[in-house]
Amino acid sequence: MEFIDLKTQYRVLKKEIDVGIANVLEHGQFIMGKEVEEFEKELGKYVGRQYVISCANGTDALQIIYMAYGIGMGDAVFCPDITFIASVEPACMLGATPVFCDIDPKTYNICTNSLEERIAEVIKVGKHKPKAVVAVDFLGNPADYVKLESICNKYNLILVEDAAQSMGASYNGKQCCKFGHSATTSFFPAKPLGCYGDGGAIFTDDYDMAKLYKSIRVHGKGASKYENIRIGSNSRLDTIQAAILLPKLKALEECEMVARQKVAKFYNDAFEGKFVTPYVQEGAMSSYAQYALLAENKQERDEMVRRLTKANIPNMIYYPYPMHTLKVFENIDYKKANFVNADSYCERTFSLPMSAYITQEEQEEVINSIK
Ligand SMILES: *Cc1c(COP(=O)(O)O)cnc(C)c1O
């Protein structure tokens, strides 16, 4: 059994993927070939964003946004305590200070009460300027953008949606990648929409920001490539990856997201009352990038991991450590805060095999192994 069954997906989409790759090998436009533009257009249509700027990976996508907004020394960037470090790492690289917020005990996304407390704290200390919030749709579950937008408006903060895990998810009738001033995603192979290497994208409806992102993507180019007008980076999506992503996007839209809901429901029905099953708020749909359960406590979680591993069932912990406990952040400001929900989550969480292609027999095997 695979944790994320990319092999079956390839078998299903093999013809289109192989033809797409062969076409790129034939035309030879390996960088910024026509498939890149076509993919950006299709993706924009799917998520309902005006501008899609593909790039080399999800971390770069965030970095390009932070660079475009001039985030750096003296700025505070607020981020949930449970995420992958890439959500905030590029801001730190630019000199900004990360401020971690506790998570909501039900959705595991950034807790908006904790966020407001942390903003107040930064203002009170007076050492940093509250600048941006990076909200993460954790495990594919959309964050609370109604509250987040109102908080960001109130304090004049840039809102960035890190949708690396939530391609295909939606909230209040809008697709993920549609929230915030700008959003980002990742095409790392294991994400809900993955390529066969690294890839990422930025989304915005703001023409000027889109222009800036495109410039920073290619060495801060101006009207032409060798007319550089700012410091940028080299962060492009390979044409071959775009050719792979085109049929994968179609499959996500046409059947994979529906299949993922079914798989999640099958697990939910089996585990209801025995573990804490994923909570998706009213009006939201998760992409279930991961299917995570919460055990009663650490001992029970560790026992479930033992049972799964003993039965040869792949399993993971997303994530074992909250951000505030990582060594890399041991000397940052605003380290002390209340992270009860994040701490408890990390001790109790474990994730099961999940993909659009897992069979019911495989799911039953997973369920039986831990019952
Ligand atoms: C995967 C991921 C990223 C980074 O994406 P890469 O393409 O691996 O650079 C950023 N944020 C979150 C929440 C992720 O899960």
Side-chain angles (χ1 to χ4, degrees), residues 57-60 62 83-84 86-87 136 162 164-165 185-188 191 198-200 319:
N57 56 67
T59 310
D60 277 9
L62 287 154
T83 184
F84 180 50
S87 299
V136 181
D162 179 350
Q165 306 179 354
T185 199
S186 162
F187 306 123
F188 182 83
K191 310 279 172 163
D198 276 310
Y319 290 96

Side-chain angles (χ1 to χ4, degrees), residues 22 50 88 123 131 137 215 265 285 325 342:
Q50 207 132 17
V88 78
I123 293 171
K131 182 86 177 191
D137 304 323
S215 166
K265 182 160 188 317
M285 185 180 93
T325 67

